[in-house]
Amino acid sequence: MTWPKVTLGEVLTKSQDWITLHPDQKYREVTVRLWGKGAVLRQEILGAEIASASRLRVRPDQFIISRIDARNGACALVPRELDGAVVSNDFPVFTPNPDRLDARYLGWLTKTKSFVALCTAASEGTTNRVRLKEDRFLSMEIDLPPLAEQCRLVARIDALAAKIDEAKRLRDEA
């Protein structure tokens, strides 16, 4: 099936939820694992120990991507348990437009080889300094099914993922 192509900038809005850090307050910092392994807690740290005066706050189901490791699949949706955590400038955060893009669909899409290839194409630099270029990333196109189809696909993928998890659990027990 062929679906319309849209640029990521048409369905993602850059978050600007910057907060001022207080020296005596603890903050949870987020990092993103490589190869679609998700956004996780990096550390809890006092504001006095953070080099900058402000950080970007994240919310559940926002899309986060590592500028440095996007080409290695370091992108994810923010899980509920990290609501209100903060990220550095190296992790742009975007909010999916719920009228056009189901966050769960985006979550599965980001785990595909084609999405990682898109991130690689949106990155540039020399060997150890390759970084995602945000404007290039947002101009990249994806195939976008209608919302109802996105939800149907997510339900099917979730069901298959649950079967895989159960098979792994049974294998581990055996």
Side-chain angles (χ1 to χ4, degrees):
M1 171 139 237
T2 305
W3 294 305
K5 289 193 176 295
V6 299
T7 64
L8 288 168
E10 291 177 62
V11 293
L12 295 175
T13 303
K14 186 165 182 183
S15 176
Q16 297 296 336
D17 189 9
W18 292 95
I19 60 169
T20 301
L21 301 178
H22 302 283
D24 57 345
Q25 188 173 334
K26 269 197 169 182
Y27 296 92
R28 294 174 303 143
E29 286 189 314
V30 177
T31 192
V32 183
R33 291 183 178 160
L34 303 179
W35 309 118
K37 301 290 187 205
V40 296
L41 179 66
R42 178 175 178 220
Q43 65 182 344
E44 286 193 25
I45 188 170
L46 282 173
E49 299 174 90
I50 298 175
S52 63
S54 64
R55 286 284 168 104
L56 189 61
R57 179 173 39 201
V58 299
R59 297 294 181 198
D61 291 336
Q62 285 185 313
F63 173 70
I64 182 172
I65 190 164
S66 167
R67 285 186 209 282
I68 298 167
D69 285 316
R71 70 191 189 284
N72 297 316
C75 56
L77 293 182
V78 175
R80 294 209 177 284
E81 62 268 18
L82 293 177
D83 185 21
V86 297
V87 295
S88 73
N89 288 340
D90 282 329
F91 295 93
V93 177
F94 302 90
T95 303
N97 177 342
D99 295 328
R100 300 193 61 199
L101 179 61
D102 185 296
R104 299 165 309 150
Y105 177 79
L106 177 62
W108 282 114
L109 180 66
T110 63
K111 295 175 188 292
T112 64
K113 286 183 183 181
S114 61
F115 194 87
V116 174
L118 179 146
C119 292
T120 301
S123 300
E124 69 178 41
T126 57
T127 308
N128 291 325
R129 300 281 185 197
V130 178
R131 290 185 178 264
L132 181 80
K133 301 300 179 191
E134 242 177 87
D135 51 347
R136 188 181 301 169
F137 173 73
L138 291 172
S139 71
M140 295 294 195
E141 291 184 331
I142 59 169
D143 294 322
L144 189 67
L147 271 175
E149 181 66 6
Q150 291 175 45
C151 292
R152 188 190 73 74
L153 290 168
V154 166
R156 182 73 178 128
I157 294 168
D158 284 347
L160 292 170
K163 288 180 181 180
I164 292 168
D165 289 344
E166 177 66 8
K168 286 178 182 177
R169 186 188 65 75
L170 292 171
R171 181 193 64 205
D172 290 346
E173 284 179 7

